[in-house]
Amino acid sequence: EQQSQTFIRSPIVVVLGHVDAGKTTLLDKIRGTAVAKREPGTMTQHIGASFLPWKALESICGDLLNRIKAEIIIPGFLVIDTPGHEAFSNLRKRGGSIADIAILVVDVQRGLEQQTFEAIDILRERKVPFVVAVNKIDRIPGWKSFPDKPFIESFQKQEPSVQFRLEEFLSYIIQQFNSLGFRADRYDRVRDFTKVLALVPLSALTGEGVPDLMLVLAGLAQRYLKKRLETKISSGRGVLLELKEEVGLGTTATLILYDGVIKRGDLVVTGGLNGPIVTRVRSLLMPKPLDEMRSPEDKFQEVKEVVAAAGVKLVAEGLEEAIAGAPLYVVTNESEIEKFSKLVEEEIKGVKFEKDVVGVVVKADTLGTLEALIGFLKKNNIPIRVADIGPVARRDLVHALMVKEKDPLYAAILAFNVKILPEAKEEAAMNGIPIFWGNIMYRLVEDFQAWHQAQRE
Ligand code: GTP
Ligand code: MG
């Protein structure tokens, strides 16, 4: 066996928050600021993610960085691009998440909202530490903006009445967190970041406060995630974030590699609709630098290998069957195929199930969304008979019909972001089985509950 070297990988960061809280704007700002610095080795684009190297962080944070002792240097952050619950739920691994840290974006004047609560639930359940970006401070009446400056500098330059207004908004948010059982405070008043949630007031639009956010993230990663970030150059482990049809390549996967290394030609095992998929890496693609692109189709460049943490496009046979949210293991020795196949199978079986109970039928598009939806339904005490991935088909109605005989109040299908096959639709209409469809989890569940309640009365 080769002697493998230990190194600190970059933490994987996700951005979550309510609709319109400013997730995309914040990501763009971080990326834009890093790109605008035009230093060598600033932001690099991955597939499904952007890599923010430590160098870029230093230039964003400036003097602020002196505030933390950099004991171990992380290479940077791998920031997952696709914000939102769906992407987050697919960053799953058994009992947790492959995300190391999350940024929860909250609108300063609106506080915690429906999807913020949902995000907090998921973060809590998956044990992901997070910092709170209290966004849109530039909208506070009377706020004077100091673009890209640290919050603590900008804050000092505000009128006392404006400072007071911000503090009022913050204390409301702190109260909201308290009522959820969290201690929270403005980040510069927090001593122990493992015990108290840090709130970083900022504006994703003007960039003020963004340095502070980066600093808190860096500090958290450096101090509290050391163990988790230690890795070896060993066989890779990742998760399929998303599946995508590419012209000329067939179905490809966005693979987020969180440990080890993956190479062209490697044998890999991942999860498919009909059981584990064993396949060989045909190619690994990364985005081509903009100035080397000859046409809009000329987007990718081949790489021979990728080291964690990274986002890469995986081209391989058999991915049409793959499930987003499924784990992927690199197999270095063919004798391990069976072991890894079993692992994958167990993991998927741990999410999808069929029970002989009176309950609803749940269909979702990915393993991650299915898992999140199951959690959400359980929390709302809604029993589940079938939890599965894929379109709503006739056999789902067979289940719903069996339930109808016992308790019509649960004879329903909840479809999250999946197709409803025509014959299933017909059969449902004929038998008076409602199919609830949605792509926002709490709304889907609310729709079902409203119907359930109405039927009862
Ligand atoms: P979804 O992806 O739809 O959930 O929204 P999002 O969270 O990505 O929010 P997005 O970044 O699209 O911002 C929503 C709106 O808020 C846009 O009109 C932004 O320009 C605005 N916005 C975001 N951040 C700020 C901010 O710091 N200040 C101000 N004034 N407006 C902001
Ligand atoms: Mg957005």
Side-chain angles (χ1 to χ4, degrees):
E1 231 180 48
Q2 258 187 334
Q3 187 71 14
S4 40
Q5 201 191 337
T6 307
F7 67 103
I8 303 284
R9 68 168 173 82
S10 353
I12 297 171
V13 180
V14 290
V15 183
L16 294 174
H18 192 76
V19 177
D20 276 354
K23 303 175 290 288
T24 306
T25 312
L26 180 61
L27 271 174
D28 286 349
K29 188 73 203 180
I30 295 170
R31 203 176 297 133
T33 314
V35 170
K37 302 271 177 192
R38 288 189 182 286
E39 278 171 29
T42 49
M43 204 85 174
T44 48
Q45 204 51 42
H46 282 216
I47 302 286
S50 322
F51 180 65
L52 186 69
W54 186 258
K55 261 247 144 331
L57 248 125
E58 280 178 339
S59 66
I60 292 176
C61 295
D63 294 342
L64 265 188
L65 210 56
N66 299 334
R67 293 182 161 226
I68 57 164
K69 271 215 316 269
E71 296 163 24
I72 43 155
I73 294 291
I74 50 168
F77 291 118
L78 186 75
V79 188
I80 304 291
D81 271 348
T82 345
H85 289 49
E86 283 67 51
F88 180 74
S89 52
N90 281 336
L91 291 172
R92 56 180 302 288
K93 70 176 175 199
R94 187 179 293 200
S97 173
I98 67 156
D100 300 293
I101 316 180
I103 302 172
L104 184 67
V105 186
V106 173
D107 183 322
V108 62
Q109 299 188 79
R110 301 176 70 96
L112 309 191
E113 300 172 83
Q114 181 65 50
Q115 280 177 297
T116 333
F117 290 113
E118 233 179 284
I120 293 169
D121 274 349
I122 305 177
L123 290 170
R124 219 180 210 175
E125 203 172 301
R126 305 224 169 149
K127 301 188 180 68
V128 180
F130 60 99
V131 294
V132 186
V134 181
N135 192 27
K136 308 194 186 181
I137 55 171
D138 62 290
R139 283 215 184 138
I140 294 172
W143 188 271
K144 278 192 305 241
S145 285
F146 298 90
D148 299 328
K149 289 282 175 243
F151 162 76
I152 44 174
E153 271 177 40
S154 175
F155 184 71
Q156 277 160 8
K157 294 180 185 154
Q158 307 297 324
E159 297 289 334
S161 63
V162 177
Q163 292 181 338
F164 182 73
R165 241 173 248 146
L166 172 67
E167 295 289 5
E168 274 188 325
F169 285 125
L170 285 181
S171 57
Y172 174 66
I173 293 171
I174 290 170
Q175 262 178 42
Q176 285 188 301
F177 274 116
N178 289 161
S179 68
L180 295 175
F182 287 98
R183 285 170 64 198
D185 211 342
R186 211 173 85 184
Y187 89 92
D188 51 320
R189 297 175 188 141
V190 174
R191 276 173 184 275
D192 185 346
F193 287 90
T194 56
K195 296 211 174 83
V196 182
L197 262 182
L199 311 186
V200 184
L202 56 80
S203 164
L205 210 62
T206 70
E208 59 207 301
V210 172
D212 313 62
L213 178 69
M214 295 293 109
L215 179 82
V216 173
L217 280 181
L220 270 179
Q222 302 264 27
R223 286 202 211 160
Y224 303 113
L225 299 173
K226 187 167 185 280
K227 260 253 143 56
R228 200 178 145 106
L229 298 177
E230 271 173 2
T231 184
K232 282 187 190 143
I233 300 274
S234 57
S235 53
R237 271 153 201 244
V239 70
L240 307 184
L241 178 62
E242 188 180 46
L243 295 156
K244 210 170 174 184
E245 198 68 28
E246 292 285 353
V247 181
L249 298 175
T251 305
T252 66
T254 299
L255 170 70
I256 304 295
L257 191 75
Y258 64 86
D259 203 7
V261 56
I262 186 168
K263 299 191 190 79
R264 182 166 61 207
D266 272 350
L267 204 55
V268 296
V269 180
T270 187
L273 285 169
N274 300 306
I277 299 171
V278 182
T279 185
R280 218 169 259 288
V281 177
R282 197 193 302 152
S283 54
L284 296 168
L285 304 176
M286 290 293 252
K288 202 169 226 181
L290 276 179
D291 50 354
E292 287 174 30
M293 270 172 58
R294 264 167 273 128
S295 68
E297 291 80 51
D298 184 30
K299 303 184 274 200
F300 306 117
Q301 59 184 355
E302 278 209 47
V303 291
K304 260 190 162 145
E305 65 167 54
V306 175
V307 176
V312 64
K313 186 178 278 292
L314 170 70
V315 185
E317 246 166 74
L319 291 180
E320 319 70 56
E321 289 273 302
I323 306 173
L328 179 138
Y329 297 99
V330 174
V331 182
T332 40
N333 192 324
E334 294 205 10
S335 65
E336 296 173 325
I337 292 178
E338 200 175 328
K339 178 182 94 184
F340 284 121
S341 298
K342 218 174 224 154
L343 264 180
V344 168
E345 196 158 19
E346 275 169 15
E347 188 153 344
I348 289 174
K349 279 206 181 124
V351 183
K352 340 194 292 184
F353 61 82
E354 217 176 280
K355 286 188 221 157
D356 191 19
V357 299
V358 174
V360 297
V361 173
V362 182
K363 299 298 289 266
D365 56 342
T366 73
L367 199 61
T369 52
L370 182 63
E371 192 173 40
L373 189 53
I374 293 169
F376 204 58
L377 288 166
K378 279 192 180 150
K379 221 183 105 190
N380 286 281
N381 295 316
I382 300 169
I384 305 165
R385 181 183 181 91
V386 177
D388 202 0
I389 294 158
V392 178
R394 198 176 239 147
R395 64 181 305 269
D396 296 315
L397 280 137
V398 174
H399 281 286
L401 279 170
M402 284 197 271
V403 170
K404 193 170 185 178
E405 283 174 18
K406 292 184 178 142
D407 186 351
L409 290 180
Y410 289 109
I413 294 174
L414 278 73
F416 184 83
N417 221 8
V418 289
K419 286 200 189 103
I420 301 165
L421 300 179
E423 62 268 26
K425 202 174 250 171
E426 246 172 61
E427 192 116 340
M430 249 163 40
N431 293 291
I433 306 266
I435 301 179
F436 298 96
W437 188 93
N439 54 14
I440 295 178
M441 226 163 261
Y442 73 90
R443 285 215 191 114
L444 179 61
V445 175
E446 273 175 9
D447 287 350
F448 166 75
Q449 283 172 318
W451 170 83
H452 181 81
Q453 203 56 38
Q455 294 292 303
R456 179 172 274 171
E457 282 154 15

